[in-house]
């Protein structure tokens, strides 16, 4: 399953996509520790697969939560993606 | 005293299947979808819909869930204790006091749409009261991909209610009226409901008819959700659930923009989530995980 967390508003699309089929194969989930803003959490989804998702409190402000890794200069250093061994995380912006 | 008309108010109702004797059923399950605007309760006997209720949630989610359930069970002789498993879903799913489990509305809408429209449905657009969900599912109704937008009211039922009140048109007539235009106007340019209302007021002052403004808003709403569908990838068959699925003005424009026809529903499109929850409840009973 591709789970898209985030939102679309007048300023653009801000979604973090997690491929849960890949994510469930990774036991350590190092992306959670790697995220400097701590926006990721582990949980059992509706199909009882243990996967990572974006915490509820960050879903409507993800553009700002992720700002540390996405400075206005355009330099991108996505710690979550770098830590994700199965390559399950993608960002839309 | 001036009478204030509630143009936004849609019809609340309950329904019971007269052909089913619930006491003969082996498995009775229920799903309760507590949304931000409306709540639905669906009772199923051996995977057949026995009864349901559709009403406004109000300010108290637990009460909304209880009221919907009580109304669905009205005049049936059935009590909550007769139901083997009850699953809560929707925005207020954790506030359903009698639920055995809570399951997200995304999984429940996919499951419900699979039942309501058949196993060929692959893409579902749920246009709810206060959010929009684009969902792709497989032939069993399992979610393959989803995207939910609950930050912005554009494309939601609440936005449409707001517009109906502004224009003094019953929410149930908005769709039909929006189609009564000789030429399709350009959509309102603002995606934000607040600014769209301001824009609509300006259009009315410049001489646009109510029908033309409604057409422009329905068109903007359709355009808005198309972008969500594009993000998850559109695959036929396509179905729409939620209250906006009853608005022919939005549905026809959405179909035109997508270039596909939406499947015709067999049941009220607002009960898809609760129906999916009841189906999940049945699966839990079969696995012995209902308590």
């Amino acid at each position: 399953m591709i789970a898209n967390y985030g939102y679309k508003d007048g300023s653009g699309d801000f979604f973090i996509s997690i491929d849960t089929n890949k994510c469930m194969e990774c036991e350590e989930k190092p992306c959670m520790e790697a995220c400097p803003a701590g926006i990721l959490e582990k949980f059992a989804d509706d199909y009882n697969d243990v996967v990572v998702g974006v915490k509820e409190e960050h879903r409507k402000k993800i553009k700002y939560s992720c700002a540390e890794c996405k400075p206005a200069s355009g330099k991108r250093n996505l710690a979550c993606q770098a830590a994700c061994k199965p390559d399950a995380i993608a960002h839309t912006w | 005293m001036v009478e204030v008309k509630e143009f936004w108010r849609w019809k609340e109702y309950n329904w019971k299947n007269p052909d089913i004797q619930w006491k003969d059923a082996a498995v009775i399950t229920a799903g309760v979808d507590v949304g931000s605007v409306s709540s639905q309760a669906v009772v199923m006997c051996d995977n057949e819909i026995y009864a349901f209720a559709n009403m406004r949630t109000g300010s108290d989610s637990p009460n909304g869930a209880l009221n919907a359930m009580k109304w669905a069970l009205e005049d049936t002789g059935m009590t909550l204790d007769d139901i083997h498993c009850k699953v809560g879903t929707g925005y207020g799913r954790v506030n359903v006091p009698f639920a055995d489990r809570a399951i997200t509305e995304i999984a429940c809408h996919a499951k419900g749409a699979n039942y309501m429209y058949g196993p060929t449905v692959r893409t579902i657009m749920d246009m709810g009261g206060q959010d929009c969900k684009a969902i792709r599912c497989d032939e069993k109704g399992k979610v393959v991909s989803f995207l939910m937008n609950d930050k912005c009211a554009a494309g939601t039922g609440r936005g449409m209610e707001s517009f109906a009140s502004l224009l003094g048109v019953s929410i149930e007539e908005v769709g039909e009226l929006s189609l009564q235009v000789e030429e399709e106007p350009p959509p309102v340019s603002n995606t934000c409901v607040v600014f769209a209302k301001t824009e609509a007021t300006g259009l009315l002052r410049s001489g646009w008819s109510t029908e033309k403004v409604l057409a422009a808003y329905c068109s903007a709403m359709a355009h808005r959700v198309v972008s969500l569908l594009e993000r998850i990838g559109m695959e036929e068959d396509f179905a729409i659930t939620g209250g906006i699925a009853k608005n022919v003005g939005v549905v026809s424009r959405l179909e035109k923009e997508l270039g596909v026809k939406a499947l015709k529903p067999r049941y009220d499109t607002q009960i898809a989530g609760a129906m999916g929850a009841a189906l999940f409840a049945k699966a839990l009973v079969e696995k012995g995980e209902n308590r």
Side-chain angles (χ1 to χ4, degrees):
Chain A
M1 174 166 70
I2 308 293
N4 290 283
Y5 298 100
Y7 58 90
K8 175 187 180 70
D9 66 10
S11 62
D13 287 21
F14 306 97
F15 290 100
I16 290 183
S17 302
I18 297 175
D19 185 334
T20 60
N21 293 338
K22 291 179 179 175
C23 182
M24 62 193 267
E25 301 297 330
C26 169
E27 285 192 11
E28 303 84 25
K29 321 276 189 215
C31 54
M32 292 191 302
E33 285 287 315
C35 173
I39 70 162
L40 301 172
E41 67 178 349
K42 188 166 72 172
F43 69 103
D45 69 10
D46 291 323
Y47 306 105
N48 284 329
D49 295 323
V50 178
V51 296
V52 161
V54 174
K55 289 176 185 169
E56 185 73 44
E57 64 264 33
H58 288 283
R59 290 181 191 173
K60 290 182 192 166
K61 56 175 186 178
I62 206 160
K63 175 184 172 184
Y64 306 102
S65 299
C66 292
E68 192 177 332
C69 293
K70 298 182 179 187
S73 63
K75 185 187 168 193
R76 290 189 173 203
N77 176 24
L78 303 181
C80 57
Q81 277 186 342
C84 179
K85 292 174 193 167
D87 193 23
I89 301 175
H91 292 229
T92 62
W93 79 107
Chain B
M1 186 107 171
V2 180
E3 187 192 352
V4 179
K5 287 193 177 176
E6 295 175 319
F7 294 104
W8 51 267
R9 191 172 281 282
W10 41 268
K11 190 184 166 195
E12 299 170 286
Y13 72 108
N14 65 350
W15 176 86
K16 185 174 72 171
N17 188 337
D19 300 328
I20 292 178
Q21 301 298 319
W22 68 265
K23 287 184 179 171
D24 297 339
V27 180
I28 303 171
T29 59
V32 184
D33 183 354
V34 184
S36 52
V37 172
S38 66
S39 289
Q40 295 80 29
V42 169
V43 181
M44 297 184 93
C45 293
D46 297 328
N47 261 17
E48 289 293 324
I49 297 183
Y50 170 61
F52 70 80
N54 179 15
M55 63 195 300
R56 293 192 80 81
T57 302
S59 57
D60 184 335
S61 290
N63 239 349
L66 268 172
N67 290 339
M69 198 67 221
K70 275 185 194 166
W71 207 22
L73 296 179
E74 192 178 69
D75 296 332
T76 64
M78 189 191 288
T79 67
L80 280 174
D81 291 338
D82 295 314
I83 301 171
H84 299 109
C85 184
K86 300 162 281 279
V87 167
T89 188
Y91 174 81
R93 62 184 175 277
V94 293
N95 293 322
V96 180
F98 50 83
D100 300 301
R101 276 280 288 274
I103 295 177
T104 69
E105 61 271 36
I106 292 159
C108 288
H109 268 276
K111 196 85 167 165
N114 177 271
Y115 182 95
M116 186 183 272
Y117 296 98
T120 59
V121 68
R122 290 291 176 277
T123 309
I124 302 144
M125 188 72 230
D126 173 45
M127 299 179 76
Q130 229 160 251
D131 66 34
C132 286
K133 291 177 275 291
I135 305 165
R136 278 181 62 188
C137 66
D138 65 15
E139 72 284 357
K140 290 179 180 166
K142 186 177 178 184
V143 179
V144 172
S145 173
F146 75 84
L147 185 157
M148 175 163 142
N149 195 11
D150 60 352
K151 184 168 179 179
C152 176
T156 67
R158 186 76 86 187
M160 191 55 90
E161 286 182 357
S162 182
F163 240 72
S165 294
L166 172 76
L167 297 173
V169 173
S170 162
I171 187 100
E172 288 164 346
E173 293 169 12
V174 164
E176 285 290 350
L177 273 179
S178 79
L179 295 173
Q180 292 172 18
V181 286
E182 285 180 9
E183 197 176 309
E184 187 72 9
V188 291
S189 55
N190 282 294
T191 52
C192 169
V193 172
V194 177
F195 291 128
K197 279 176 74 176
T198 309
E199 191 177 346
T201 308
L203 292 170
L204 287 169
R205 283 186 188 144
S206 70
W208 280 36
S209 65
T210 301
E211 290 83 355
K212 198 170 171 185
V213 174
L214 285 173
Y217 186 64
C218 288
S219 183
M221 201 177 230
H223 185 69
R224 171 82 178 164
V225 298
V226 163
S227 64
L228 298 180
L229 287 166
E230 281 171 349
R231 180 154 297 287
I232 64 155
M234 172 74 193
E235 187 185 353
E236 291 188 70
D237 288 346
F238 168 64
I240 310 169
T241 60
I244 298 287
K246 298 174 186 174
N247 182 320
V248 290
V250 176
V251 172
S252 62
R253 290 176 174 92
L254 187 53
E255 288 176 332
K256 193 176 173 188
E257 199 157 337
L258 289 169
V260 300
K261 283 275 176 198
L263 294 173
K264 300 287 173 220
R266 287 190 291 155
Y267 302 99
D268 185 331
T269 53
Q270 278 185 279
I271 67 166
M275 193 188 283
L279 292 165
F280 269 112
K282 171 98 180 338
L284 289 170
V285 172
E286 286 165 353
K287 285 192 262 179
E289 296 175 5
N290 50 317
R291 299 283 180 207

